[in-house]
Amino acid sequence: MEQRRLGSGPQVAAIGLGCMGMSGMYGASDERESIATIHAALDAGIDLLDTGDFYGMGHNELLLGRALAGRDRSSYLLSVKFGTQRDVRGAWLGFDARPAAAKTALAYSLGRLGTTYVDIYRPARLDPNVPIEETAGAIAEMIAAGDVRYFGLSEVSAQTLRRAHAVHPVCDVQIEYSLFSRGIEDDLLPAARELGVGITAYGVLSRGLLGGHWSPSKSLEPSDFRAHSPRFTGDNVARNLALVDALHAIAQEKETTVAALAIAWVLAQGGDIVPVVGARTRARLTEALTALAVVLGPGDRARIETAVPRGAVAGDRYNAAGMQSLDSERR
């Protein structure tokens, strides 16, 4: 599999696996199929596995721990997010990225994952009450102790990236990037490239909208994140699916699927970008991997971007409270 380097950090496969959807964020999932999908990803050459300690309130880390038992620890990399606070019913309570909280969270994550270190450790969001320099300093201490290999960030602005990077080199910024979410192109992506920081792009299929399998009539469980997402509600979903329909003709010409085309577009934006696909089943994983064989020339990219113009998507990527928590969206 093609390899890409995350800034000054590790070399990884060109596509990573995001495991959030395996722990209830998109409704019920099949644990056996989840583990089989993780195994299939590793066997296909994917070596970057992304999780968060708040995915399923620790369930996702425990799931990964079981799936990875007996595997050579040097054959995969664990990217772990921390700091998001939730109550017993899963309600979102805010963020805590204080140094002591970060170190405590890491201790619990190591236990659930069954490992002695994580490869990339990152706050899930910027904590508005804690200077990023303090969080960066704490992770630098974890790296010095051998408990963490690399420092990452998530959903931060270019300014926050620069401040953190001045304390300790940032390996990568994890942020939503797709045909439907192109905000990083304004400030963050240029800043990351200036500093030599990689991008791990999540939401490359806009949580399923760009997958080519979504239907306006699809019912969502109340626990499914998308039931509360503006892009999936009201008239927005039909407007967004009309954009997806415009991609079908291009996908057919390229003898591929809409999902693979959308992933290939992200791959084509630069060798410093690694799409993290949230496949929950082996079938979806197999489809995502076909993107690696899709070659997009300048003309192809122009046609795709004409079919889905920047800013054409209807609805924000999070609800109002979620958008408010994104340092990356502050201008």
Side-chain angles (χ1 to χ4, degrees):
M1 184 178 290
E2 176 193 346
Q3 300 286 299
R4 298 186 171 196
R5 186 167 297 281
L6 292 178
S8 59
Q11 184 169 284
V12 300
I15 288 179
L17 179 67
C19 300
M20 181 183 77
M22 299 176 181
S23 294
M25 296 295 288
Y26 293 148
S29 59
D30 183 307
E31 191 159 303
R32 286 187 179 181
E33 181 61 25
S34 295
I35 290 176
T37 302
I38 293 167
H39 289 168
L42 293 168
D43 294 343
I46 288 176
D47 53 8
L48 180 64
L49 305 173
D50 182 77
T51 185
D53 61 11
F54 53 96
Y55 293 167
M57 312 300 287
H59 173 272
N60 203 243
E61 290 180 323
L62 290 168
L63 177 74
L64 272 170
R66 289 193 292 275
L68 297 171
R71 293 267 177 169
D72 179 358
R73 181 62 182 85
S74 66
S75 67
Y76 60 85
L77 295 92
L78 292 170
S79 169
V80 180
K81 292 182 288 297
F82 73 92
T84 297
Q85 305 296 291
R86 303 179 71 184
D87 68 16
V88 295
R89 294 172 183 80
W92 306 95
L93 304 176
F95 306 96
D96 189 350
R98 292 172 298 163
K103 292 177 180 180
T104 300
L106 177 66
Y108 283 107
S109 286
L110 292 177
R112 287 188 290 260
L113 289 163
T115 185
T116 58
Y117 68 93
V118 298
D119 298 278
I120 309 173
Y121 202 49
R122 69 182 87 241
R125 297 287 186 270
L126 177 68
D127 184 338
N129 300 311
V130 179
I132 191 60
E133 290 83 357
E134 292 185 15
T135 305
I139 296 178
E141 291 174 3
M142 299 177 203
I143 292 172
D147 303 323
V148 171
R149 294 281 176 88
Y150 302 101
F151 172 33
L153 291 171
S154 178
E155 289 290 354
V156 296
S157 66
Q159 179 184 22
T160 298
L161 170 59
R162 292 182 188 281
R163 289 170 54 193
H165 194 73
V167 175
H168 189 280
V170 175
C171 162
D172 70 310
V173 177
Q174 188 175 111
I175 192 162
E176 188 167 350
Y177 188 35
S178 73
L179 280 165
F180 279 179
S181 300
R182 297 179 59 182
I184 74 167
E185 296 172 353
D186 294 329
D187 301 308
L188 179 62
L189 185 55
R193 286 175 168 162
E194 175 191 331
L195 297 171
V197 174
I199 297 291
T200 42
Y202 76 87
V204 292
L205 296 181
S206 194
R207 307 183 189 277
L209 274 177
L210 281 164
H213 306 287
W214 200 266
S215 166
S217 61
K218 185 177 177 66
S219 60
L220 295 170
E221 302 173 30
S223 61
D224 191 320
F225 166 88
R226 295 167 295 192
H228 314 284
S229 170
R231 292 183 177 176
F232 289 84
T233 56
D235 295 334
N236 288 349
V237 67
R239 292 170 58 188
N240 293 331
L241 289 177
L243 296 172
V244 177
D245 287 342
L247 293 174
H248 275 286
I250 302 173
Q252 288 178 337
E253 287 180 23
K254 301 293 291 184
E255 298 184 340
T256 190
T257 66
V258 170
L261 188 72
I263 297 169
W265 179 87
V266 176
L267 284 164
Q269 301 314 301
D272 52 352
I273 299 173
V274 175
V276 177
V277 299
R280 294 193 291 169
T281 66
R282 285 167 287 181
R284 292 289 182 261
L285 173 67
T286 298
E287 181 180 18
L289 288 171
T290 64
L292 293 167
V294 179
V295 178
L296 299 179
D300 295 319
R301 295 198 295 273
R303 286 187 64 200
I304 291 168
E305 291 163 21
T306 297
V308 184
R310 180 175 171 176
V313 65
D316 288 332
R317 52 196 183 101
Y318 289 91
N319 62 20
M323 292 298 292
Q324 185 62 32
S325 73
L326 298 177
D327 178 58
S328 57
E329 292 290 337
R330 297 190 178 95
R331 298 289 183 265

